[in-house]
Amino acid sequence: MSQDAVQPSAPQPNAPSSAAPEHHEHQGFWTMMLGSMGVVYGDIGTSPLYALKTALAHMKSDGVVESEVIGIVSLLIWALFIVVSLKYVSFLMRADNKGEGGTLSLMALARKSLGRGSKIIFLLGVTGAALFAGDAVITPAISVLSAVEGLKTASPAFDPFVLPIAVIILVGLFVVQSGGTARVASLFGPIMVVFFGLLAVLGLAHISDAPRILSAFDPRYGLSFLFGHGATGFVTLGLVFLAVTGAEALYGDMGHFGRKPIQVAWLCFVLPALICNYLGQGALVLKDPEAVKDPFYLLAPEWSLIPFVVLATVATVIASQAVITGAFSLARQAIQLGLLPRLEIQHTSASTEGQIYVPRVNKTLLIGVLLLVFLFRTSDNLANAYGIAVTGTMVVDTSLAFFVVWKMWRWPLWLTVPVIGFFLTVDMSFLIANLIKLLEGAWVPLTMGAFAMVIMWTWVRGTDLLHKKTQRDSIPTADLIRMLEKSKPHRVSGTAVFLTGDPNVAPSALMHNLKHNKVVHERVVIMNIVTESIPRVAEANRFEIEKLSEDFLRVTLHFGFMESPRVPAAMALMRKAGYKFDIMTTSFFLGKRTLKTSPASGMPQWQDKLFVTLSKQSANATDFFSIPSDRVVELGAQVTI
């Protein structure tokens, strides 16, 4: 859509009923569970590469203290229990939006329960989406770097090659995105099953090195370390959080795999593997204090170290792929919800709706990842920047859940406050612990998140001002129809479809066509596309048709915020319902606006310029709505905001 054409509306509180994603129900349960192992658990599954090593970093100079090792491992285990198992798997996954999860889905639910006017809900949703952008940049960098650094453990001779190898892998990962990942994605699950299996086996093999590590299941050891070491204990808590980064993927990917497959995969396979590995790493350090330098890779026998590094690198690439795919999906949701300009979205699979590629997002992520790699150079340094974005996202999720639980689930406040308060206390503790590392690198994701928030805020604000200006300068559609009935302009054969963001006022493309060409088609369709607050809309509720006069129709197309708005497909449904629309004899008129800044716009000059710049990034409406290019007529105009 052009700036004058269809703008995605804000989510409506009374949206059409949704076609809840049923695809995972029609596939085998075990197939979906296997798939979730590769996509959902890639990030959290690669945390053992750096989580414990980073948390134990202070022991490299101070020496290994048994109580500290057991205390840190205890914190790791209980972080997995509370944040992942209890909060996400058992609680938040119940807050699904027609089967879909994630921050924006939760925001849509919260806005539905409180009404569209709630600014705090909108702000929380935008904050969560912005922080995810920072996470999406850091995850590939730290994951791949930490895996390749295993080569140094195998031989110090590899040290000069770690950074170049990591860069080559990362560049290759982003380059292949344009071709789609559907064909290789089927291998993700089996590879991660092998990886998790090795994590468990290697960990179990070393627990016998120091069986007293099993004391870590007692939370008192973790609490004793946390509160008995002053500032060091609190700083370490921020590093312990590295063990649960990726937990938000459990919730965000629920629509792709279903609640049950994700829950079973976590409780029966992933969680036991992670706990066994952390226990094994801790036991190894207790037995051999020198292992504190890299307890993960030193779990493996020396002869298998290189193959293990290769497998770990593949696992981190899979984890990075999952985050990149999540960034594409989030960008599409943000576009549909009107938080970002209409960026070009390419579908890389004819059969899978979720397989998309967003070129501008991909390019931005690659630049950000490479900057981080060259800026921090090692995973230990990068660990200081990691975590803050994820903890922020978790705080947002928990805060939004409060409104859903209170208003939509109708829990009494006396129950809602302590339950949400407990989770929020845990999240805030991790957030504050990560903020301590602000000057050591945590400023990076916060800066990225702040930049993303400014972009979304500017786009929403500018779009709203532009919409109000359009309404002031436009003629109501009903008035235009009465004028045409009196003036009777020349009529030409065929159907003309005018896309508009406000069906109650005459589209500027229609007014320009009348002004310059002085003709009206024998049938005129004023088409508006509405993005609902649900992930997907059922085909039966895809369109509404209202007859305005003998030759004017008003058509409203409804799409979910996780769908691509394909106009020809919607018109095909209209033909099936008995409406005679032949897309090859239909002309689509799109208004194309060139925006210019104005001192009286209502925004600061810098924001005016940013909004104009963002509008120029907007993709071609023809491609975005999948309209045949030979059926499109664009009518341009300059507009001052």
Side-chain angles (χ1 to χ4, degrees):
M1 65 189 168
S2 65
Q3 297 304 321
D4 182 65
V6 187
Q7 287 292 344
S9 72
Q12 304 296 320
N14 297 313
S17 62
S18 165
E22 302 289 343
H23 57 277
H24 53 74
E25 295 182 7
H26 298 300
Q27 298 188 35
F29 173 86
W30 297 107
T31 301
M32 299 310 296
M33 193 183 83
L34 182 64
S36 73
M37 301 280 280
V39 176
V40 177
Y41 295 113
D43 189 359
I44 198 170
T46 53
S47 295
L49 274 77
Y50 47 79
L52 184 59
K53 179 182 76 170
T54 308
L56 294 174
H58 66 282
M59 293 190 179
K60 293 178 182 178
S61 57
D62 299 344
V64 172
V65 178
E66 179 177 312
S67 62
E68 294 185 2
V69 174
I70 296 175
I72 291 174
V73 173
S74 180
L75 288 174
L76 289 166
I77 291 174
W78 281 95
L80 293 172
F81 283 154
I82 294 174
V83 175
V84 186
S85 301
L86 190 59
K87 176 186 167 183
Y88 277 99
V89 173
S90 301
F91 184 71
L92 266 188
M93 288 188 78
R94 295 175 56 211
D96 66 293
N97 189 349
K98 303 296 183 181
E100 296 289 346
T103 300
L104 290 182
S105 288
L106 199 58
M107 181 190 78
L109 278 179
R111 293 188 81 188
K112 185 176 181 181
S113 63
L114 288 182
R116 289 178 55 198
S118 178
K119 292 183 178 180
I120 187 171
I121 300 299
F122 178 76
L123 181 62
L124 283 170
V126 170
T127 302
L131 287 172
F132 182 85
D135 181 35
V137 174
I138 296 178
T139 295
I142 190 172
S143 297
V144 173
L145 260 178
S146 62
V148 178
E149 283 171 353
L151 292 172
K152 294 191 295 183
T153 304
S155 171
F158 285 112
D159 194 3
F161 304 102
V162 167
L163 203 63
I165 292 173
V167 168
I168 291 171
I169 292 172
L170 288 167
V171 171
L173 173 64
F174 283 94
V175 167
V176 301
Q177 296 300 315
S178 60
T181 58
R183 283 176 290 184
V184 295
S186 59
L187 298 174
F188 288 178
I191 291 174
M192 291 307 295
V193 167
V194 173
F195 181 70
F196 283 124
L198 278 175
L199 291 187
V201 169
L202 290 174
L204 286 171
H206 284 276
I207 289 178
S208 59
D209 291 348
R212 56 193 182 279
I213 194 64
L214 295 174
S215 303
F217 282 111
D218 186 341
R220 290 176 297 179
Y221 283 90
L223 293 174
S224 175
F225 174 83
L226 180 60
F227 294 108
H229 287 75
T232 301
F234 207 61
V235 170
T236 304
L237 182 66
L239 299 171
V240 164
F241 184 78
L242 296 174
V244 296
T245 54
E248 72 282 3
L250 289 165
Y251 185 44
D253 287 317
M254 182 164 54
H256 296 292
F257 300 99
R259 181 187 295 116
K260 289 296 181 185
I262 291 176
Q263 290 175 328
V264 172
W266 171 255
L267 295 173
C268 297
F269 201 80
V270 180
L271 177 61
L274 293 176
I275 290 176
C276 287
N277 195 263
Y278 286 126
L279 289 171
Q281 289 189 47
L284 177 62
V285 172
L286 290 179
K287 179 187 177 183
D288 179 13
E290 291 296 319
V292 73
K293 63 182 181 182
D294 198 344
F296 177 78
Y297 279 119
L298 291 174
L299 288 177
E302 190 174 343
W303 59 266
S304 65
L305 196 51
I306 295 298
F308 192 42
V309 170
V310 173
L311 177 61
T313 303
V314 173
T316 58
V317 168
I318 292 173
S320 303
Q321 176 61 60
V323 173
I324 295 168
T325 302
F328 293 160
S329 178
L330 189 77
R332 178 169 69 173
Q333 292 179 43
I335 292 166
Q336 289 293 78
L337 291 172
L339 302 177
L340 289 176
R342 186 194 59 240
L343 302 175
E344 178 189 358
I345 298 176
Q346 298 176 10
H347 291 264
T348 59
S349 172
S351 58
T352 307
E353 173 70 19
Q355 287 285 328
I356 59 174
Y357 169 65
V358 187
R360 289 191 184 277
V361 173
N362 192 65
K363 182 179 179 180
T364 302
L365 287 179
L366 174 58
I367 293 172
V369 167
L370 292 181
L371 283 175
L372 287 183
V373 169
F374 288 118
L375 179 63
F376 289 93
R377 305 188 73 83
T378 70
S379 62
D380 286 344
N381 294 336
L382 199 51
N384 291 317
Y386 203 31
I388 190 74
V390 183
T391 52
T393 302
M394 289 183 177
V395 169
V396 167
D397 286 347
T398 306
S399 302
L400 290 172
F402 171 80
F403 299 101
V404 174
V405 172
W406 177 33
K407 291 293 186 180
M408 187 167 286
W409 293 2
R410 300 188 182 280
W411 283 24
L413 271 177
W414 64 264
L415 181 59
T416 304
V417 170
V419 170
I420 298 298
F422 169 71
F423 291 128
L424 197 57
T425 299
V426 174
D427 291 340
M428 289 300 297
S429 298
F430 281 123
L431 178 62
I432 295 170
N434 276 280
L435 282 173
I436 293 175
K437 301 178 294 182
L438 189 62
L439 298 179
E440 299 175 26
W443 61 270
V444 173
L446 288 180
T447 303
M448 292 176 178
F451 182 66
M453 281 192 69
V454 168
I455 287 177
M456 286 188 275
W457 173 50
T458 300
W459 184 251
V460 170
R461 191 180 182 190
T463 301
D464 181 60
L465 291 171
L466 191 60
H467 177 69
K468 290 176 180 176
K469 178 180 175 60
T470 301
Q471 283 188 317
R472 289 195 303 268
D473 300 342
S474 299
I475 300 173
T477 303
D479 291 353
L480 176 64
I481 292 174
R482 284 193 291 268
M483 291 167 56
L484 293 177
E485 288 174 347
K486 292 179 181 178
S487 62
K488 298 192 181 297
H490 181 67
R491 308 303 289 259
V492 295
S493 61
T495 300
V497 176
F498 294 88
L499 296 180
T500 180
D502 187 350
N504 296 314
V505 300
S508 63
L510 173 57
M511 301 304 295
H512 281 98
N513 192 41
L514 271 170
K515 179 180 179 181
H516 298 291
N517 298 327
K518 298 178 172 43
V519 297
V520 178
H521 285 69
E522 61 182 0
R523 283 210 306 170
V524 176
V525 176
I526 297 176
M527 182 175 288
N528 180 37
I529 297 178
V530 176
T531 301
E532 303 294 352
S533 60
I534 50 180
R536 294 177 177 82
V537 172
E539 288 189 351
N541 302 311
R542 179 69 72 202
F543 60 87
E544 295 178 73
I545 298 180
E546 180 184 356
K547 191 171 184 179
L548 302 178
S549 69
E550 287 301 314
D551 42 19
F552 271 76
L553 289 177
R554 180 157 55 205
V555 174
T556 303
L557 302 182
H558 298 274
F559 292 91
F561 61 80
M562 292 193 72
E563 295 182 288
S564 295
R566 296 176 175 176
V567 170
M571 295 183 73
L573 291 175
M574 294 165 64
R575 286 200 302 273
K576 289 181 182 179
Y579 297 93
K580 296 180 180 179
F581 281 109
D582 181 2
I583 199 162
M584 298 315 295
T585 60
T586 299
S587 297
F588 292 85
F589 287 81
L590 306 177
K592 187 173 183 179
R593 286 173 167 170
T594 301
L595 301 182
K596 299 178 69 177
T597 60
S598 166
S601 71
M603 294 192 298
Q605 188 175 19
W606 67 265
Q607 202 166 28
D608 271 345
K609 293 180 178 179
L610 177 58
F611 180 68
V612 171
T613 301
L614 290 172
S615 69
K616 292 178 181 179
Q617 309 305 311
S618 195
N620 185 282
T622 305
D623 297 330
F624 190 79
F625 293 113
S626 302
I627 302 171
S629 57
D630 58 347
R631 309 306 310 165
V632 174
V633 178
E634 287 191 348
L635 298 173
Q638 282 194 347
V639 178
T640 302
I641 59 169

